[in-house]
Amino acid sequence: MVSKLSENGVAGFILANGALSGGGEEYKIRRKLIENNLVEAIIIIPRNTFYTTDISVTLWILNKNKKERTVTKNNQNRNYRYREEEILFMDLRRWGSEYEKNMLELTEKDIEEVALNYHNWQQTDYKTTYKDMPEFLQICQFEDVEINDFSLVPSKYIEFVDKDSGIDFDTEMKRIQKDFTTLLKEEKESQNQLINAFKTLGYEL
């Protein structure tokens, strides 16, 4: 994908989270991308966002031109600042709204907020429009990534607040109880369907 980008090309793609810190050939590729100032943003997507997997995945954004320049789009000027040795990290694992059984979606409002912060960070006036936020987003310098052996795991750079001491045990147990009740009910229904299927064929379980 990098080889197909123009001088001002931008690419976005989804990878498993293992690519953020994997060793071997993955490490060599990731390090080269970082050293060549191609990685612009790393965005962790919530679990259960895709039908094909329930794990959290990562949106990588690569940009071949992170230099200062002005671009006119829709009769508006965008004044991009120099950010070659910066990477923007976002963690959206706590985001999303339920829209189907056990599935999550990022709403239009969520996507607008993510895009706004991303574009504000790129601009020359970012000091008045952008702000790092714990558990959400953080600007990171090349030296910090280098110290962490070129790992791109957002939790190494984004500040997290310890909320364990404030957990409401009763509320959390009721939530878990509800989940297990649903699972047991579904399991019983599956067993009954299997028993009935064998009965239809003339066999008893």
Side-chain angles (χ1 to χ4, degrees):
M1 282 183 273
V2 173
S3 68
K4 301 297 181 184
L5 291 178
S6 67
E7 290 182 359
N8 297 317
V10 178
F13 50 85
I14 298 289
L15 289 178
N17 289 349
L20 298 170
S21 59
E25 290 303 312
E26 284 186 8
Y27 171 82
K28 294 177 184 177
I29 295 169
R30 185 176 65 253
R31 177 168 179 166
K32 200 56 123 176
L33 290 173
I34 297 167
E35 289 178 333
N36 289 337
N37 297 313
L38 290 167
V39 181
E40 172 134 277
I42 295 293
I43 304 171
I44 297 285
I45 306 298
R47 293 185 61 179
N48 299 313
T49 302
F50 300 98
Y51 289 113
T52 52
T53 180
D54 65 347
I55 65 172
S56 171
V57 295
T58 307
L59 170 62
W60 293 56
I61 299 178
L62 303 186
N63 192 339
K64 284 200 75 174
N65 189 350
K66 295 165 72 176
K67 295 182 172 66
E68 184 176 349
R69 62 194 177 103
T70 298
V71 175
T72 302
K73 217 172 188 181
N74 300 323
N75 295 320
Q76 289 186 334
N77 288 338
R78 284 194 175 179
N79 300 308
Y80 293 100
R81 66 186 180 86
Y82 181 87
R83 57 199 187 285
E84 281 206 335
E85 295 189 351
E86 286 186 8
I87 298 175
L88 180 65
F89 288 93
M90 292 192 190
D91 191 328
L92 308 183
R93 286 177 298 177
R94 298 170 185 264
W95 290 44
S97 303
E98 291 185 10
Y99 75 102
E100 281 185 13
K101 184 179 179 181
N102 298 327
M103 296 298 295
L104 288 175
E105 68 171 343
L106 293 172
T107 64
E108 286 188 22
K109 184 178 179 182
D110 291 336
I111 294 169
E112 285 174 5
E113 185 172 350
V114 169
L116 179 64
N117 280 282
Y118 170 67
H119 291 303
N120 284 346
W121 164 73
Q122 292 179 313
Q123 309 303 305
T124 53
D125 62 348
Y126 81 106
K127 289 186 177 180
T128 60
T129 61
Y130 170 90
K131 185 179 180 181
D132 290 336
M133 286 185 257
E135 302 185 355
F136 176 27
L137 74 169
Q138 176 75 42
I139 298 173
C140 187
Q141 304 298 322
F142 174 83
E143 310 90 76
D144 299 319
V145 179
E146 188 177 29
I147 289 170
N148 281 293
D149 198 21
F150 298 94
S151 169
L152 292 177
V153 176
S155 59
K156 290 181 179 290
Y157 310 103
I158 297 176
E159 179 188 350
F160 278 82
V161 179
D162 183 6
K163 296 180 180 177
D164 288 350
S165 58
I167 290 177
D168 186 327
F169 182 78
D170 185 56
T171 300
E172 196 63 18
M173 286 303 297
K174 284 179 180 176
R175 182 189 66 78
I176 295 171
Q177 179 188 40
K178 183 179 177 182
D179 289 344
F180 270 98
T181 301
T182 301
L183 285 171
L184 290 172
K185 183 180 178 182
E186 289 175 350
E187 184 181 1
K188 189 172 182 179
E189 289 174 355
S190 296
Q191 288 176 347
N192 289 334
Q193 288 174 4
L194 184 62
I195 291 170
N196 291 332
F198 270 84
K199 279 184 179 179
T200 303
L201 296 172
Y203 299 91
E204 292 287 338
L205 289 179

